[in-house]
Short mmCIF file of all heavy atoms in Angstrom, two decimals:
data_model
loop_
_atom_site.label_atom_id
_atom_site.label_comp_id
_atom_site.label_asym_id
_atom_site.label_seq_id
_atom_site.Cartn_x
_atom_site.Cartn_y
_atom_site.Cartn_z
N MET A 617 14.02 3.29 68.65
CA MET A 617 12.65 2.79 68.44
C MET A 617 12.18 3.09 67.02
O MET A 617 12.40 4.17 66.50
CB MET A 617 11.70 3.43 69.46
CG MET A 617 10.27 2.97 69.26
SD MET A 617 9.14 3.62 70.50
CE MET A 617 9.48 2.55 71.87
N ASP A 618 11.56 2.10 66.43
CA ASP A 618 11.02 2.23 65.08
C ASP A 618 9.60 2.79 65.17
O ASP A 618 8.95 2.63 66.18
CB ASP A 618 10.98 0.85 64.44
CG ASP A 618 11.45 0.89 63.01
OD1 ASP A 618 11.66 2.01 62.50
OD2 ASP A 618 11.60 -0.18 62.41
N ARG A 619 9.15 3.39 64.09
CA ARG A 619 7.76 3.87 64.10
C ARG A 619 7.20 3.92 62.69
O ARG A 619 7.93 4.08 61.72
CB ARG A 619 7.67 5.24 64.76
CG ARG A 619 8.36 6.35 64.01
CD ARG A 619 7.98 7.73 64.57
NE ARG A 619 8.73 8.11 65.73
CZ ARG A 619 9.62 9.13 65.74
NH1 ARG A 619 9.85 9.84 64.66
NH2 ARG A 619 10.26 9.44 66.83
N GLU A 620 5.88 3.78 62.63
CA GLU A 620 5.15 3.95 61.38
C GLU A 620 4.08 4.99 61.63
O GLU A 620 3.51 5.05 62.71
CB GLU A 620 4.48 2.63 60.95
CG GLU A 620 5.44 1.55 60.54
CD GLU A 620 5.88 1.67 59.09
OE1 GLU A 620 5.36 2.54 58.37
OE2 GLU A 620 6.74 0.88 58.69
N ILE A 621 3.81 5.80 60.63
CA ILE A 621 2.76 6.81 60.74
C ILE A 621 1.86 6.69 59.53
O ILE A 621 2.35 6.63 58.40
CB ILE A 621 3.36 8.24 60.79
CG1 ILE A 621 4.39 8.35 61.90
CG2 ILE A 621 2.25 9.27 60.99
CD1 ILE A 621 5.23 9.61 61.83
N PHE A 622 0.56 6.64 59.78
CA PHE A 622 -0.40 6.55 58.70
C PHE A 622 -1.33 7.75 58.73
O PHE A 622 -1.71 8.22 59.81
CB PHE A 622 -1.23 5.26 58.82
CG PHE A 622 -0.39 4.01 58.74
CD1 PHE A 622 0.00 3.34 59.89
CD2 PHE A 622 0.02 3.52 57.51
CE1 PHE A 622 0.80 2.21 59.82
CE2 PHE A 622 0.81 2.38 57.43
CZ PHE A 622 1.20 1.72 58.59
N ILE A 623 -1.69 8.24 57.55
CA ILE A 623 -2.66 9.32 57.44
C ILE A 623 -3.84 8.81 56.61
O ILE A 623 -3.64 8.32 55.49
CB ILE A 623 -2.06 10.56 56.77
CG1 ILE A 623 -0.94 11.12 57.66
CG2 ILE A 623 -3.13 11.62 56.51
CD1 ILE A 623 -0.15 12.23 57.01
N ASP A 624 -5.03 8.93 57.16
CA ASP A 624 -6.24 8.55 56.43
C ASP A 624 -6.49 9.61 55.35
O ASP A 624 -6.87 10.74 55.66
CB ASP A 624 -7.42 8.45 57.40
CG ASP A 624 -8.69 7.98 56.71
OD1 ASP A 624 -8.87 8.27 55.51
OD2 ASP A 624 -9.50 7.34 57.39
N GLN A 625 -6.22 9.25 54.12
CA GLN A 625 -6.29 10.21 53.02
C GLN A 625 -7.72 10.66 52.72
O GLN A 625 -7.93 11.70 52.11
CB GLN A 625 -5.68 9.60 51.76
CG GLN A 625 -4.19 9.34 51.88
CD GLN A 625 -3.39 10.64 51.91
OE1 GLN A 625 -3.54 11.46 51.03
NE2 GLN A 625 -2.56 10.81 52.91
N VAL A 626 -8.69 9.88 53.14
CA VAL A 626 -10.09 10.28 52.92
C VAL A 626 -10.48 11.35 53.93
O VAL A 626 -11.12 12.35 53.59
CB VAL A 626 -11.02 9.05 53.03
CG1 VAL A 626 -12.48 9.47 52.93
CG2 VAL A 626 -10.69 8.04 51.93
N GLN A 627 -10.06 11.14 55.17
CA GLN A 627 -10.46 12.06 56.25
C GLN A 627 -9.66 13.35 56.27
O GLN A 627 -10.16 14.39 56.71
CB GLN A 627 -10.33 11.36 57.61
CG GLN A 627 -11.28 10.19 57.79
CD GLN A 627 -12.73 10.61 57.71
OE1 GLN A 627 -13.11 11.66 58.21
NE2 GLN A 627 -13.54 9.79 57.05
N CYS A 628 -8.40 13.32 55.83
CA CYS A 628 -7.53 14.50 55.92
C CYS A 628 -8.15 15.68 55.18
O CYS A 628 -8.57 15.57 54.03
CB CYS A 628 -6.16 14.18 55.32
SG CYS A 628 -5.06 15.62 55.27
N SER A 629 -8.19 16.85 55.86
CA SER A 629 -8.77 18.06 55.27
C SER A 629 -7.69 18.99 54.72
O SER A 629 -8.01 20.05 54.18
CB SER A 629 -9.57 18.81 56.33
OG SER A 629 -8.71 19.28 57.36
N GLY A 630 -6.42 18.61 54.89
CA GLY A 630 -5.33 19.45 54.40
C GLY A 630 -5.15 20.73 55.19
O GLY A 630 -4.64 21.73 54.67
N CYS A 631 -5.51 20.70 56.48
CA CYS A 631 -5.47 21.93 57.30
C CYS A 631 -4.06 22.40 57.62
O CYS A 631 -3.86 23.51 58.08
CB CYS A 631 -6.24 21.70 58.58
SG CYS A 631 -5.39 20.62 59.75
N GLU A 632 -3.08 21.53 57.46
CA GLU A 632 -1.66 21.82 57.68
C GLU A 632 -1.24 21.90 59.14
O GLU A 632 -0.11 22.29 59.44
CB GLU A 632 -1.21 23.09 56.94
CG GLU A 632 -1.41 23.00 55.44
CD GLU A 632 -0.74 24.12 54.67
OE1 GLU A 632 0.23 24.69 55.19
OE2 GLU A 632 -1.19 24.39 53.55
N ALA A 633 -2.12 21.57 60.07
CA ALA A 633 -1.73 21.63 61.48
C ALA A 633 -0.55 20.69 61.76
O ALA A 633 0.39 21.07 62.48
CB ALA A 633 -2.92 21.24 62.37
N CYS A 634 -0.57 19.51 61.19
CA CYS A 634 0.52 18.55 61.42
C CYS A 634 1.84 19.09 60.85
O CYS A 634 2.90 18.90 61.45
CB CYS A 634 0.19 17.20 60.81
SG CYS A 634 -0.24 17.25 59.05
N VAL A 635 1.77 19.77 59.72
CA VAL A 635 2.97 20.32 59.09
C VAL A 635 3.56 21.43 59.97
O VAL A 635 4.78 21.53 60.14
CB VAL A 635 2.65 20.87 57.69
CG1 VAL A 635 3.90 21.44 57.03
CG2 VAL A 635 2.03 19.78 56.82
N GLU A 636 2.69 22.25 60.55
CA GLU A 636 3.18 23.32 61.43
C GLU A 636 3.85 22.75 62.67
O GLU A 636 4.84 23.28 63.14
CB GLU A 636 2.01 24.23 61.83
CG GLU A 636 1.54 25.11 60.69
CD GLU A 636 0.29 25.89 61.03
OE1 GLU A 636 0.01 26.08 62.22
OE2 GLU A 636 -0.40 26.29 60.08
N ILE A 637 3.33 21.65 63.18
CA ILE A 637 3.89 21.05 64.40
C ILE A 637 5.19 20.31 64.09
O ILE A 637 6.16 20.40 64.85
CB ILE A 637 2.87 20.08 65.03
CG1 ILE A 637 1.68 20.87 65.55
CG2 ILE A 637 3.51 19.25 66.14
CD1 ILE A 637 0.47 20.03 65.89
N CYS A 638 5.25 19.59 62.98
CA CYS A 638 6.41 18.75 62.70
C CYS A 638 6.69 18.68 61.19
O CYS A 638 6.38 17.67 60.54
CB CYS A 638 6.18 17.36 63.28
SG CYS A 638 7.68 16.38 63.31
N PRO A 639 7.29 19.74 60.63
CA PRO A 639 7.53 19.77 59.18
C PRO A 639 8.58 18.76 58.70
O PRO A 639 8.68 18.52 57.51
CB PRO A 639 8.00 21.21 58.94
CG PRO A 639 8.49 21.69 60.25
CD PRO A 639 7.69 20.98 61.30
N GLN A 640 9.33 18.18 59.65
CA GLN A 640 10.30 17.15 59.24
C GLN A 640 9.60 15.86 58.83
O GLN A 640 10.14 15.05 58.09
CB GLN A 640 11.26 16.82 60.40
CG GLN A 640 11.96 18.01 61.00
CD GLN A 640 11.25 18.54 62.22
OE1 GLN A 640 10.02 18.68 62.23
NE2 GLN A 640 12.02 18.85 63.26
N VAL A 641 8.39 15.67 59.36
CA VAL A 641 7.66 14.41 59.14
C VAL A 641 6.49 14.58 58.17
O VAL A 641 6.27 13.74 57.31
CB VAL A 641 7.14 13.85 60.49
CG1 VAL A 641 6.19 12.68 60.26
CG2 VAL A 641 8.31 13.43 61.36
N PHE A 642 5.75 15.68 58.31
CA PHE A 642 4.52 15.86 57.54
C PHE A 642 4.68 16.93 56.47
O PHE A 642 5.37 17.93 56.68
CB PHE A 642 3.37 16.27 58.47
CG PHE A 642 3.07 15.29 59.56
CD1 PHE A 642 3.61 15.46 60.83
CD2 PHE A 642 2.26 14.19 59.33
CE1 PHE A 642 3.35 14.56 61.85
CE2 PHE A 642 1.99 13.28 60.34
CZ PHE A 642 2.54 13.46 61.61
N ALA A 643 4.02 16.72 55.34
CA ALA A 643 3.97 17.72 54.27
C ALA A 643 2.63 17.60 53.57
O ALA A 643 1.92 16.60 53.72
CB ALA A 643 5.12 17.49 53.28
N ILE A 644 2.28 18.64 52.82
CA ILE A 644 1.03 18.62 52.07
C ILE A 644 1.34 18.37 50.60
O ILE A 644 2.18 19.04 50.00
CB ILE A 644 0.27 19.97 52.22
CG1 ILE A 644 -0.09 20.25 53.68
CG2 ILE A 644 -0.98 19.96 51.33
CD1 ILE A 644 -1.12 19.32 54.29
N ASP A 645 0.65 17.39 50.02
CA ASP A 645 0.78 17.10 48.59
C ASP A 645 0.04 18.19 47.82
O ASP A 645 -1.16 18.39 48.02
CB ASP A 645 0.18 15.72 48.32
CG ASP A 645 0.38 15.29 46.87
OD1 ASP A 645 0.11 16.11 45.96
OD2 ASP A 645 0.77 14.15 46.64
N GLU A 646 0.75 18.90 46.97
CA GLU A 646 0.14 20.03 46.27
C GLU A 646 -0.95 19.59 45.29
O GLU A 646 -1.85 20.36 44.97
CB GLU A 646 1.21 20.84 45.53
CG GLU A 646 2.09 21.62 46.48
CD GLU A 646 3.09 22.49 45.76
OE1 GLU A 646 2.97 22.66 44.54
OE2 GLU A 646 4.00 22.99 46.44
N LEU A 647 -0.85 18.37 44.80
CA LEU A 647 -1.86 17.90 43.86
C LEU A 647 -3.16 17.48 44.55
O LEU A 647 -4.25 17.84 44.12
CB LEU A 647 -1.32 16.71 43.05
CG LEU A 647 -0.27 17.05 41.99
CD1 LEU A 647 0.20 15.77 41.31
CD2 LEU A 647 -0.83 18.03 40.98
N THR A 648 -3.02 16.74 45.65
CA THR A 648 -4.22 16.23 46.33
C THR A 648 -4.71 17.16 47.43
O THR A 648 -5.87 17.07 47.84
CB THR A 648 -3.94 14.85 46.97
OG1 THR A 648 -2.97 15.02 48.01
CG2 THR A 648 -3.43 13.86 45.93
N GLY A 649 -3.82 18.04 47.95
CA GLY A 649 -4.19 18.89 49.07
C GLY A 649 -4.25 18.14 50.39
O GLY A 649 -4.75 18.66 51.38
N LYS A 650 -3.73 16.93 50.41
CA LYS A 650 -3.75 16.09 51.62
C LYS A 650 -2.34 15.94 52.18
O LYS A 650 -1.35 16.07 51.44
CB LYS A 650 -4.29 14.70 51.28
CG LYS A 650 -5.57 14.69 50.50
CD LYS A 650 -6.75 14.67 51.40
CE LYS A 650 -8.05 14.54 50.58
NZ LYS A 650 -9.23 14.42 51.42
N ALA A 651 -2.28 15.62 53.46
CA ALA A 651 -0.98 15.41 54.10
C ALA A 651 -0.40 14.06 53.71
O ALA A 651 -1.12 13.10 53.45
CB ALA A 651 -1.13 15.49 55.62
N PHE A 652 0.93 14.01 53.67
CA PHE A 652 1.62 12.74 53.48
C PHE A 652 2.87 12.73 54.37
O PHE A 652 3.25 13.76 54.92
CB PHE A 652 1.98 12.48 52.01
CG PHE A 652 3.03 13.41 51.45
CD1 PHE A 652 4.36 12.98 51.36
CD2 PHE A 652 2.72 14.67 51.01
CE1 PHE A 652 5.36 13.82 50.84
CE2 PHE A 652 3.71 15.53 50.49
CZ PHE A 652 5.02 15.10 50.40
N ILE A 653 3.48 11.56 54.48
CA ILE A 653 4.64 11.39 55.35
C ILE A 653 5.93 11.55 54.55
O ILE A 653 6.16 10.81 53.59
CB ILE A 653 4.62 10.01 56.04
CG1 ILE A 653 3.31 9.79 56.80
CG2 ILE A 653 5.83 9.84 56.95
CD1 ILE A 653 3.08 10.77 57.92
N LEU A 654 6.76 12.51 54.98
CA LEU A 654 8.07 12.67 54.35
C LEU A 654 9.04 11.61 54.87
O LEU A 654 9.69 10.92 54.10
CB LEU A 654 8.65 14.04 54.70
CG LEU A 654 8.06 15.28 54.04
CD1 LEU A 654 8.64 16.52 54.70
CD2 LEU A 654 8.36 15.27 52.56
N ASP A 655 9.14 11.54 56.20
CA ASP A 655 10.06 10.60 56.85
C ASP A 655 9.51 10.25 58.23
O ASP A 655 9.52 11.10 59.13
CB ASP A 655 11.44 11.23 56.98
CG ASP A 655 12.44 10.30 57.65
OD1 ASP A 655 12.06 9.19 58.07
OD2 ASP A 655 13.62 10.71 57.77
N PRO A 656 9.01 9.03 58.41
CA PRO A 656 8.39 8.68 59.70
C PRO A 656 9.36 8.69 60.87
O PRO A 656 8.94 8.77 62.02
CB PRO A 656 7.82 7.28 59.45
CG PRO A 656 8.64 6.73 58.33
CD PRO A 656 8.99 7.91 57.46
N LEU A 657 10.66 8.61 60.58
CA LEU A 657 11.64 8.55 61.67
C LEU A 657 12.21 9.92 62.01
O LEU A 657 13.02 10.04 62.94
CB LEU A 657 12.77 7.58 61.30
CG LEU A 657 12.30 6.14 61.04
CD1 LEU A 657 13.49 5.26 60.69
CD2 LEU A 657 11.56 5.59 62.24
N ALA A 658 11.83 10.95 61.27
CA ALA A 658 12.29 12.31 61.59
C ALA A 658 11.42 12.88 62.71
O ALA A 658 10.37 12.34 63.02
CB ALA A 658 12.22 13.18 60.34
N GLY A 659 11.86 13.99 63.28
CA GLY A 659 11.07 14.62 64.33
C GLY A 659 11.11 13.82 65.62
O GLY A 659 11.55 12.67 65.64
N THR A 660 10.65 14.46 66.69
CA THR A 660 10.63 13.78 67.98
C THR A 660 9.29 13.08 68.17
O THR A 660 8.29 13.44 67.54
CB THR A 660 10.83 14.78 69.14
OG1 THR A 660 9.70 15.65 69.19
CG2 THR A 660 12.11 15.59 68.94
N GLU A 661 9.30 12.11 69.06
CA GLU A 661 8.05 11.41 69.37
C GLU A 661 7.01 12.38 69.93
O GLU A 661 5.82 12.27 69.65
CB GLU A 661 8.34 10.31 70.39
CG GLU A 661 7.19 9.35 70.49
CD GLU A 661 7.68 7.93 70.54
OE1 GLU A 661 8.66 7.61 69.85
OE2 GLU A 661 7.06 7.17 71.26
N GLU A 662 7.48 13.35 70.72
CA GLU A 662 6.57 14.33 71.31
C GLU A 662 5.88 15.14 70.21
O GLU A 662 4.68 15.42 70.29
CB GLU A 662 7.32 15.27 72.26
CG GLU A 662 7.77 14.62 73.56
CD GLU A 662 8.95 13.66 73.38
OE1 GLU A 662 9.70 13.80 72.39
OE2 GLU A 662 9.10 12.77 74.22
N GLN A 663 6.64 15.54 69.19
CA GLN A 663 6.05 16.31 68.08
C GLN A 663 4.98 15.49 67.37
O GLN A 663 3.91 16.00 67.04
CB GLN A 663 7.13 16.70 67.07
CG GLN A 663 8.02 17.84 67.50
CD GLN A 663 9.09 18.09 66.46
OE1 GLN A 663 9.84 17.19 66.09
NE2 GLN A 663 9.18 19.31 65.98
N ILE A 664 5.28 14.23 67.12
CA ILE A 664 4.33 13.40 66.38
C ILE A 664 3.09 13.15 67.22
O ILE A 664 1.96 13.21 66.72
CB ILE A 664 5.00 12.09 65.95
CG1 ILE A 664 6.13 12.42 64.96
CG2 ILE A 664 4.00 11.15 65.30
CD1 ILE A 664 7.06 11.29 64.68
N GLU A 665 3.28 12.91 68.51
CA GLU A 665 2.12 12.69 69.37
C GLU A 665 1.28 13.96 69.46
O GLU A 665 0.05 13.90 69.52
CB GLU A 665 2.57 12.20 70.74
CG GLU A 665 2.99 10.73 70.65
CD GLU A 665 3.54 10.17 71.96
OE1 GLU A 665 3.79 10.96 72.89
OE2 GLU A 665 3.73 8.95 72.01
N GLU A 666 1.94 15.12 69.44
CA GLU A 666 1.17 16.38 69.45
C GLU A 666 0.37 16.51 68.17
O GLU A 666 -0.79 16.95 68.18
CB GLU A 666 2.12 17.58 69.61
CG GLU A 666 1.36 18.88 69.74
CD GLU A 666 2.27 20.10 69.86
OE1 GLU A 666 3.47 19.92 70.09
OE2 GLU A 666 1.75 21.21 69.68
N ALA A 667 0.97 16.14 67.03
CA ALA A 667 0.23 16.19 65.75
C ALA A 667 -0.96 15.25 65.79
O ALA A 667 -2.05 15.61 65.32
CB ALA A 667 1.17 15.82 64.60
N VAL A 668 -0.79 14.06 66.37
CA VAL A 668 -1.89 13.09 66.45
C VAL A 668 -3.07 13.68 67.23
O VAL A 668 -4.22 13.60 66.78
CB VAL A 668 -1.41 11.78 67.12
CG1 VAL A 668 -2.60 10.88 67.45
CG2 VAL A 668 -0.43 11.05 66.20
N VAL A 669 -2.79 14.29 68.38
CA VAL A 669 -3.89 14.79 69.21
C VAL A 669 -4.44 16.11 68.68
O VAL A 669 -5.58 16.47 68.97
CB VAL A 669 -3.49 14.93 70.70
CG1 VAL A 669 -3.12 13.59 71.27
CG2 VAL A 669 -2.40 15.95 70.91
N THR A 670 -3.65 16.84 67.90
CA THR A 670 -4.09 18.14 67.37
C THR A 670 -4.91 17.98 66.10
O THR A 670 -5.79 18.81 65.82
CB THR A 670 -2.88 19.05 67.09
OG1 THR A 670 -2.14 19.20 68.30
CG2 THR A 670 -3.32 20.42 66.58
N CYS A 671 -4.65 16.96 65.32
CA CYS A 671 -5.33 16.79 64.03
C CYS A 671 -6.85 16.87 64.21
O CYS A 671 -7.44 16.05 64.90
CB CYS A 671 -4.95 15.44 63.42
SG CYS A 671 -5.86 15.07 61.90
N PRO A 672 -7.50 17.86 63.57
CA PRO A 672 -8.95 18.03 63.78
C PRO A 672 -9.77 16.91 63.16
O PRO A 672 -10.93 16.72 63.53
CB PRO A 672 -9.23 19.37 63.09
CG PRO A 672 -8.15 19.54 62.09
CD PRO A 672 -6.94 18.88 62.69
N GLN A 673 -9.18 16.18 62.24
CA GLN A 673 -9.90 15.07 61.60
C GLN A 673 -9.60 13.73 62.28
O GLN A 673 -10.14 12.71 61.88
CB GLN A 673 -9.51 14.98 60.12
CG GLN A 673 -9.83 16.21 59.31
CD GLN A 673 -11.32 16.47 59.26
OE1 GLN A 673 -11.82 17.46 59.80
NE2 GLN A 673 -12.05 15.58 58.62
N ASP A 674 -8.70 13.76 63.27
CA ASP A 674 -8.32 12.53 63.98
C ASP A 674 -7.90 11.43 62.99
O ASP A 674 -8.31 10.28 63.12
CB ASP A 674 -9.50 12.05 64.84
CG ASP A 674 -9.06 11.04 65.91
OD1 ASP A 674 -7.86 11.03 66.24
OD2 ASP A 674 -9.91 10.27 66.38
N CYS A 675 -7.09 11.82 62.01
CA CYS A 675 -6.77 10.87 60.95
C CYS A 675 -5.30 10.47 60.89
O CYS A 675 -4.86 9.87 59.91
CB CYS A 675 -7.24 11.41 59.61
SG CYS A 675 -6.45 12.92 59.07
N ILE A 676 -4.52 10.83 61.94
CA ILE A 676 -3.12 10.39 61.99
C ILE A 676 -3.00 9.25 62.98
O ILE A 676 -3.46 9.35 64.12
CB ILE A 676 -2.18 11.54 62.44
CG1 ILE A 676 -2.36 12.75 61.54
CG2 ILE A 676 -0.73 11.07 62.45
CD1 ILE A 676 -1.62 13.99 62.04
N THR A 677 -2.38 8.17 62.56
CA THR A 677 -2.16 7.01 63.44
C THR A 677 -0.65 6.79 63.58
O THR A 677 0.06 6.69 62.58
CB THR A 677 -2.80 5.74 62.85
OG1 THR A 677 -4.19 5.98 62.66
CG2 THR A 677 -2.62 4.56 63.79
N LEU A 678 -0.19 6.73 64.81
CA LEU A 678 1.22 6.44 65.10
C LEU A 678 1.32 5.03 65.66
O LEU A 678 0.61 4.68 66.60
CB LEU A 678 1.75 7.45 66.13
CG LEU A 678 3.12 7.14 66.75
CD1 LEU A 678 4.21 7.14 65.70
CD2 LEU A 678 3.42 8.13 67.87
N ILE A 679 2.18 4.24 65.05
CA ILE A 679 2.43 2.88 65.55
C ILE A 679 3.89 2.80 65.94
O ILE A 679 4.78 3.05 65.11
CB ILE A 679 2.09 1.83 64.47
CG1 ILE A 679 0.60 1.91 64.14
CG2 ILE A 679 2.49 0.43 64.94
CD1 ILE A 679 0.19 1.03 62.99
N LYS A 680 4.13 2.48 67.20
CA LYS A 680 5.50 2.37 67.70
C LYS A 680 5.90 0.91 67.75
O LYS A 680 5.10 0.06 68.13
CB LYS A 680 5.60 2.95 69.11
CG LYS A 680 5.19 4.40 69.21
CD LYS A 680 5.30 4.84 70.65
CE LYS A 680 4.20 5.82 70.99
NZ LYS A 680 4.21 6.18 72.41
N ALA A 681 7.13 0.64 67.37
CA ALA A 681 7.62 -0.74 67.43
C ALA A 681 9.06 -0.73 67.90
O ALA A 681 9.82 0.17 67.57
CB ALA A 681 7.53 -1.38 66.06
N ASN A 682 9.43 -1.70 68.69
CA ASN A 682 10.81 -1.79 69.17
C ASN A 682 11.68 -2.50 68.16
O ASN A 682 11.22 -3.28 67.38
CB ASN A 682 10.86 -2.51 70.51
CG ASN A 682 10.30 -1.65 71.61
OD1 ASN A 682 10.64 -0.47 71.70
ND2 ASN A 682 9.45 -2.23 72.44
S1 SF4 B 1137 -3.58 17.80 60.84
FE1 SF4 B 1137 -4.80 16.04 60.11
S2 SF4 B 1137 -6.37 16.93 58.77
FE2 SF4 B 1137 -4.79 18.49 59.05
S3 SF4 B 1137 -3.39 18.18 57.30
FE3 SF4 B 1137 -2.56 16.98 59.00
S4 SF4 B 1137 -3.41 14.92 58.75
FE4 SF4 B 1137 -4.65 16.31 57.48
#
């Protein structure tokens, strides 16, 4: 299964919760202090869904495609 992950760069607070849950997919840009996607296909779907529901800013969007 293919997937795309988007992070709303305006809303992201750089709290690092997504990075703690799934460091294969999420990282913090040292210049902006915001999260970005390293590799949308890394990590398990469960990890990414946990990051989506844990994000305090509700700014991660997961799109699944076959
Ligand atoms: S959990 Fe959400 S607010 Fe926190 S760094 Fe990740 S994307 Fe940004």
Side-chain angles (χ1 to χ4, degrees):
M617 178 176 281
D618 223 353
R619 66 168 83 112
E620 292 276 355
I621 306 168
F622 298 99
I623 296 172
D624 183 329
Q625 294 290 307
V626 175
Q627 295 298 321
C628 175
S629 65
C631 72
E632 300 191 24
C634 55
V635 180
E636 287 173 22
I637 293 166
C638 193
Q640 307 95 316
V641 170
F642 301 96
I644 299 293
D645 185 313
E646 289 184 12
L647 287 179
T648 65
K650 311 269 185 176
F652 68 99
I653 304 298
L654 286 171
D655 180 357
L657 301 180
T660 66
E661 194 137 323
E662 288 73 23
Q663 284 176 305
I664 296 167
E665 285 176 349
E666 185 182 346
V668 169
V669 298
T670 302
C671 175
Q673 300 297 113
D674 197 21
C675 63
I676 305 172
T677 303
L678 169 63
I679 297 174
K680 302 179 215 175
N682 287 315

